[in-house]
Structures are given as C-alpha cells and as structure tokens.
Amino acid sequence: MSEDVFKKIVSHCKEYGFVFQSSEIYDGLSAVYDYGQMGVELKNNIKKYWWDSMVLLNENVVGIDSAIFMHPTIWKASGHVDAFNDPLIDNKDSKKRYRADVLIEDHLAKIDDKINKEVEKAAKRFGESFDEAMFRQTNPRVLENQQKRDEIHTRFAKALNDSNLEELRQIIIDCEIADPISGTRNWTDVRQFNLMFSTEMGSTTDGAMKVYLRPETAQGIFVNFLNVQKTGRMKIPFGIAQIGKAFRNEIVARQFIFRMREFEQMEMQFFVRPGEELEWFAKWKETRMKWHKALGFGDKKYRFHDHDKLAHYANAATDVEFEMPFGFKEVEGIHSRTDFDLSSHEEFSGKKIQYFDPELNKSYVPYVIETSIGVDRMFLSVMSASYCEEQLEGGESRVVLKLPPALAPIKLGVLPLVKKDGLPEKAREIIDNLKFDFKCQYDEKDSIGKRYRRQDAIGTPYCVTVDHQTLQDNTVTIRYRDTMEQERVAIDRLAGIIADKVSLKNLLKTIG
Ligand code: GAP
C-alpha cells in the first residue's frame, strides 16, 4: 500500500464521519482530532474488544479509571520530569523543528526502500526461480546499501543509548540529511525537549501548583496498586487494566492519528513475583499477538520488533508492529518494567508499596509486565487494513470497508425499496425488533444501489431490502457486504444470521 492510498483513507475518514480535524472551522489544531458519528462507534468497539479480552477472559485482571490530573511528584518518581524528552533539532533556514531521531530513522527507511526495490525488481526478472535470501547475500548493490545501513544504525543505537546529542547531530551531518522544506543542511545543535503538557491547579493567590496532563495512563495504575490489591483481595499474579486519555507535546506530529498530542491508551500492568517476569513477558507477548491476529487481517500484517535500546528500568521490551500504508509501525508496546515504578513511588511517597506473598511467606515489591496499546493507532490500523477499492463487473467500482463485523459501527442497514406502500413502516418495525442487539441504520434515499454503496463505505456487514413481497410473506433480501451476494430470508431468521458474525462474544471465543 502506498502514501497515495493513505491519503484516500484520510479523506474517507472525513467524508464518512469517522475522523475530523479538531477545531476545523478555526483552521484546525495540529495533531488533535475528533471522532465523528461512525468513528466513535468503531473506537468504542475496539475498546470493548480490548477491555473484555482483559477483564472478562482473565479472572485475575481487573479494571480501574484513574484521574488525568495526578500529584506532580508522581511524574518526578516515574522519571517523566527528567527524562521524558525527545531530541530536537532546528533548520536555521526554514526555521522548522524536527526530531533528530526521526530524521535519522527516515533516512534508514529510505535505504531500506532502496534495498527492497532492488529485491522486487530481481524477483520480477527471475520469476519462480528467484532465491531472495541468496540475492540479498550476493547482490553488490544490496550488500553496499545494507552495509551503509548497518553502520548508521549501529552508531544511531549507541548515540540513543548514551543520550549523546552531539553524535546524533553528527550522524545527520554525515548522512547529508537535508531539511525537506528548505533543502539545506544548516542545522542547529540537538537539544532535549520535554513532552509533558503542564498547567496550574488552584488560583495563583492560593499558591497554584504546577500539574501535568498525564503522558501515559500507566502511572494511575501504579499509584493505585495497593488500593486495588487490598480492596479486591488480589493475589499475585494479577493485572490492572485501564483505558484513558494521554497527552504529549509531540514535536513531529504527523501521519494523521498515528502521532497525536491528545490520544487514548489501553494499558494493563501485570504484577508478578520477582524472577518470574520474563516467563510472563513471553506469555503476554503471545496473548497480545493472538488478540491482534484474531481480527483476520492476515498474519503477515504483524511483526514483533524487539528494542535495540532498553529503557533503564526494563529488562525486556518489544513492539507489536502493524503494516500501515506508510510501512510497519508500532501499535503496541510490551515491556518488562521490573520493579522500577513501584519502588520509585515507595521512595518518593515514603509509603511502603509491597505485597505479602503467603506462599513464600515474605513481602516484596512486585515486578511488572506492561501491555500498552494506543486506541487511535489501533483505529488507524483497522481502517488501513479494511479499506478496499474494488472493480466490479460492468465497469463499476466500489469503495468498501471490510471491517471485522464485530467492530463495524453499523451492523445492519435497513432499506425500504420505495418510500411508500407501507414499506418504510415495515422497515422501522424490523429495526425496532433488532435495535436492542445491533446498531441498525434506516436509509430510504436514492436507488438501492447507491444505498448499498453508502453502507459499503462505512463497513456495514449486512443490508436488508424490504419490498412488496415482504408485506405478504415476512421475508427480506439480505445482502452480504464482502461477497455482495443476496438471498431471501425470513425476517425472524435475521437476528440469528447477524449475531453469528457480529458478536463480540464469538470473536472473544477465538482467543479465550
Ligand atoms: N506506558 C507505556 C507507554 O506509554 P509508549 O510506547 O510511549 O509506552 C504506548 O506508548 C502506545 O501508545 C504506543 O504503542 C502507541 O500505540 C500509543 N501512543 C504513544 N504516543 C502516541 C501518540 N503521540 N499518538 C498516538 N498514539 C500514541
């Protein structure tokens, strides 16, 4: 898929009420978006799929909903005040600001593209007999580019690991990376920039306190560890799940809802015995990948990316990457965070945060496995994988969102053939019976063909047409989104047919 398709997906999101630019009538607010009437349904369905997979399928995972504002010392303890920084660099000619690491990553991606194009060309030339591994090991151009890439990558990983800002700038200079706007290489030094938004709580006469908009939901879980453990009589191992907004003053805010300044996270912290964390890390990796793959977009769309640079508090970390139209990108992070957060909160709060393990007969600070997924990135991955342009017989074409039925905003479109003869009333009667289980949409405007196209464009898995025969024998024509096949069925069979495919329960059963 290409950037071109990505642009189409972005316009589709707007045209059909999925995602709008925030404050659009005031020319928008950069990297902030609103979800429209279709978008909010899809987003809620994604959240429910995640929530239920955590708290219904796991007896030992419970949920919470903590406040966005928290005591400012929490962010000192978590390391965000001192270390939640991005390295930024300015171009002196365009006066534009960039993330130094992103400039280098983009440069690496360009080299990857060159290599892949070389491989694709050769694959076409040699056809069936093409041995990709051999080609990559022997082709001089591929080898040269691969060596260049590896050298830059090694320097880059080390510079990040050592927080060596001078070296990051030097890599940009050595790689001759130019500003995409001015085209020049007139760069400033690299500086650290803290990503947290802050505001004041209380009036200044009272001595207002500087508070932060949380940059992750996880800390709300850590500081409630004892509350939940004690009131819920939770025994280790157990998890706490939360869905909520997070805020980051991203320097490079781009690629639509991929990188936003206000976004939503679904995070789960799983508390385990020290020493057992890597076993649980492997289990959660597997569980989370199963959750993604169950949506049916194809296993090739996903891969793990193990981190080169481990945060100082982590002893294992991986990303679940999804093939977006602009390449494989992180959708979810899975980290083994050791006892860093709880121990740090013990130290900063002066309160003991430990668990008494009756089997071991001792107290300890639990270790933590974290699974953290962005709702908006998940939304973008679902939209990207579902968007389809199809050529039909007779020269026609259609745009169809092949959304997993359980996530589709509307499950059933109900369409009276004409706006008279009692057909609208019959259609409404069908909706009145089904509306308790499924989100239905009534549509009587335009030809049936146009109405089908509108439902295809928002991913509605089923449409039924109510015609004159319906009044005589209580049957309707049901039309299936993906195959466009139609069949005549009795109205009282509709609930069963629809439930079979759209039920979240059935989806959960494939992973539970
Ligand atoms: N508590 C761990 C944590 O916050 P992270 O890798 O910084 O880890 C987790 O974020 C997930 O949140 C990412 O995998 C991504 O899906 C989402 N995310 C992070 N920053 C984002 C942004 N600016 N816009 C949209 N989603 C974002």
Side-chain angles (χ1 to χ4, degrees):
M1 227 195 267
S2 67
E3 288 283 342
D4 200 33
V5 176
F6 182 51
K7 280 193 193 133
K8 288 187 186 170
I9 293 169
V10 175
S11 3
H12 193 86
C13 279
K14 163 135 199 239
E15 191 180 342
Y16 288 93
F18 284 89
V19 183
F20 306 127
Q21 173 73 60
S22 157
S23 321
E24 197 185 323
I25 59 168
Y26 290 95
D27 297 333
L29 187 64
S30 167
V32 187
Y33 292 90
D34 298 335
Y35 285 82
Q37 67 281 9
M38 289 301 142
V40 70
E41 296 288 346
L42 173 55
K43 200 176 180 210
N44 284 343
N45 292 339
I46 290 172
K47 289 195 272 186
K48 185 145 175 58
Y49 177 41
W50 182 87
W51 186 264
D52 287 357
S53 76
M54 287 292 171
V55 306
L56 288 188
L57 301 191
N58 299 286
E59 225 182 288
N60 57 352
V61 176
V62 292
I64 63 162
D65 182 17
S66 71
I68 287 172
F69 289 131
M70 290 193 270
H71 195 286
T73 310
I74 287 174
W75 303 111
K76 193 83 190 141
S78 67
H80 284 83
V81 170
D82 296 320
F84 193 51
N85 300 320
D86 274 345
L88 65 82
I89 191 165
D90 293 315
N91 183 272
K92 291 182 197 164
D93 299 316
S94 69
K95 309 272 184 274
K96 288 279 172 202
R97 181 162 286 179
Y98 300 93
R99 266 177 61 176
D101 56 335
V102 172
L103 286 179
I104 299 170
E105 273 167 11
D106 285 353
H107 182 74
L108 288 171
K110 275 188 197 147
I111 303 179
D112 283 340
D113 275 354
K114 265 192 205 161
I115 297 173
N116 290 338
K117 278 200 184 115
E118 206 69 59
V119 174
E120 271 167 35
K121 244 180 12 200
K124 266 196 201 137
R125 209 166 51 238
F126 294 113
E128 296 268 296
S129 63
F130 183 58
D131 181 342
E132 185 178 325
M134 180 62 86
F135 183 78
R136 283 180 183 272
Q137 279 164 25
T138 51
N139 180 275
R141 272 191 302 275
V142 169
L143 285 176
E144 190 189 327
N145 276 321
Q146 190 61 48
Q147 191 189 352
K148 198 157 78 177
R149 189 208 183 278
D150 291 346
E151 278 167 16
I152 301 169
H153 187 255
T154 309
R155 271 180 79 187
F156 177 49
K158 183 164 174 5
L160 283 183
N161 230 347
D162 301 344
S163 297
N164 186 343
L165 302 183
E166 272 170 35
E167 172 68 351
L168 282 180
R169 181 173 191 273
Q170 199 52 50
I171 296 172
I172 290 172
I173 304 288
D174 293 348
C175 292
E176 301 185 346
I177 297 174
D179 175 8
I181 299 192
S182 66
T184 70
R185 300 182 198 128
N186 197 3
W187 297 109
T188 62
D189 287 342
V190 177
R191 280 165 297 133
Q192 293 288 22
F193 174 81
N194 193 284
L195 297 185
M196 280 196 295
F197 285 102
S198 63
T199 185
E200 307 237 301
M201 186 173 270
S203 76
T204 32
T205 45
D206 296 347
M209 180 164 65
K210 182 174 177 182
V211 290
Y212 298 98
L213 296 189
R214 64 181 179 199
E216 62 171 13
T217 58
Q219 296 304 321
I221 294 178
F222 288 124
V223 296
N224 277 298
F225 166 76
L226 276 187
N227 284 336
V228 174
Q229 190 272 315
K230 289 203 156 60
T231 58
R233 289 174 293 117
M234 306 302 291
K235 287 201 170 58
I236 272 180
F238 75 91
I240 305 178
Q242 166 159 241
I243 299 179
K245 289 271 181 149
F247 305 83
R248 296 181 189 179
N249 195 3
E250 299 281 0
I251 307 165
V252 183
R254 57 177 191 180
Q255 284 158 334
F256 192 39
I257 54 172
F258 183 78
R259 196 175 299 285
M260 301 156 88
R261 296 202 164 106
E262 173 179 340
F263 58 100
E264 208 164 355
Q265 290 185 314
M266 308 190 278
E267 299 201 290
M268 196 276 307
Q269 317 295 135
F270 198 73
F271 301 94
V272 303
R273 275 186 190 157
E276 293 184 0
E277 71 276 10
L278 292 180
E279 206 179 302
W280 282 108
F281 175 75
K283 274 192 192 149
W284 278 108
K285 247 178 103 167
E286 191 190 331
T287 305
R288 293 303 305 144
M289 190 53 107
K290 218 166 151 190
W291 182 89
H292 285 280
K293 289 185 174 172
L295 290 174
F297 294 128
D299 293 2
K300 283 195 176 150
K301 291 248 169 224
Y302 304 88
R303 70 181 188 197
F304 284 119
H305 170 245
D306 296 331
H307 285 203
D308 283 328
K309 183 196 172 198
L310 282 182
H312 59 283
Y313 51 78
N315 63 4
T318 195
D319 295 334
V320 176
E321 292 189 339
F322 183 83
E323 192 178 17
M324 300 280 189
F326 39 88
F328 272 94
K329 295 284 167 193
E330 173 192 343
V331 170
E332 172 160 7
I334 304 167
H335 290 83
S336 171
R337 288 178 78 126
T338 66
D339 60 351
F340 169 80
D341 300 87
L342 292 182
S343 296
S344 192
H345 287 305
E346 262 200 329
E347 189 190 327
F348 278 76
S349 68
K351 311 260 167 33
K352 202 167 162 187
I353 308 181
Q354 301 211 348
Y355 171 79
F356 177 74
D357 193 324
E359 280 171 37
L360 300 180
N361 197 28
K362 68 170 191 182
S363 295
Y364 53 79
V365 179
Y367 272 44
V368 172
I369 307 304
E370 167 184 80
T371 71
S372 173
I373 171 169
V375 179
D376 313 272
R377 280 198 196 169
M378 187 61 203
F379 185 102
L380 185 57
S381 70
V382 168
M383 284 301 275
S384 307
S386 303
Y387 182 89
C388 232
E389 291 174 7
E390 282 183 355
Q391 289 305 320
L392 307 176
E393 279 168 25
E396 269 195 79
S397 65
R398 70 166 180 161
V399 171
V400 53
L401 280 188
K402 294 194 170 170
L403 292 170
L407 300 187
I410 309 287
K411 309 300 187 197
L412 177 70
V414 182
L415 323 173
L417 187 63
V418 289
K419 281 188 238 174
K420 53 182 187 180
D421 303 339
L423 301 190
E425 290 75 11
K426 188 72 187 168
R428 297 251 180 236
E429 190 187 303
I430 293 174
I431 292 180
D432 280 343
N433 281 325
L434 295 176
K435 70 183 177 192
F436 301 97
D437 292 312
F438 315 111
K439 179 98 182 133
C440 304
Q441 193 175 72
Y442 175 85
D443 191 1
E444 61 175 24
K445 195 168 177 293
D446 299 321
S447 68
I448 286 288
K450 275 195 180 155
R451 284 183 261 170
Y452 282 154
R453 293 290 170 275
R454 278 202 289 270
Q455 294 299 331
D456 287 344
I458 57 172
T460 306
Y462 300 100
C463 284
V464 293
T465 303
V466 176
D467 56 19
H468 293 93
Q469 191 186 329
T470 311
L471 301 180
Q472 287 159 15
D473 64 5
N474 262 327
T475 62
V476 285
T477 305
I478 186 164
R479 184 243 192 203
Y480 303 98
R481 178 194 68 195
D482 296 348
T483 58
M484 295 190 292
E485 270 167 20
Q486 300 183 17
E487 61 176 326
R488 198 89 201 166
V489 298
I491 288 173
D492 55 15
R493 279 190 54 215
L494 284 179
I497 295 174
I498 299 164
D500 182 44
K501 284 278 185 312
V502 309
S503 128
L504 184 56
K505 185 169 148 187
N506 286 351
L507 179 58
L508 287 167
K509 275 186 180 168
T510 64
I511 56 170

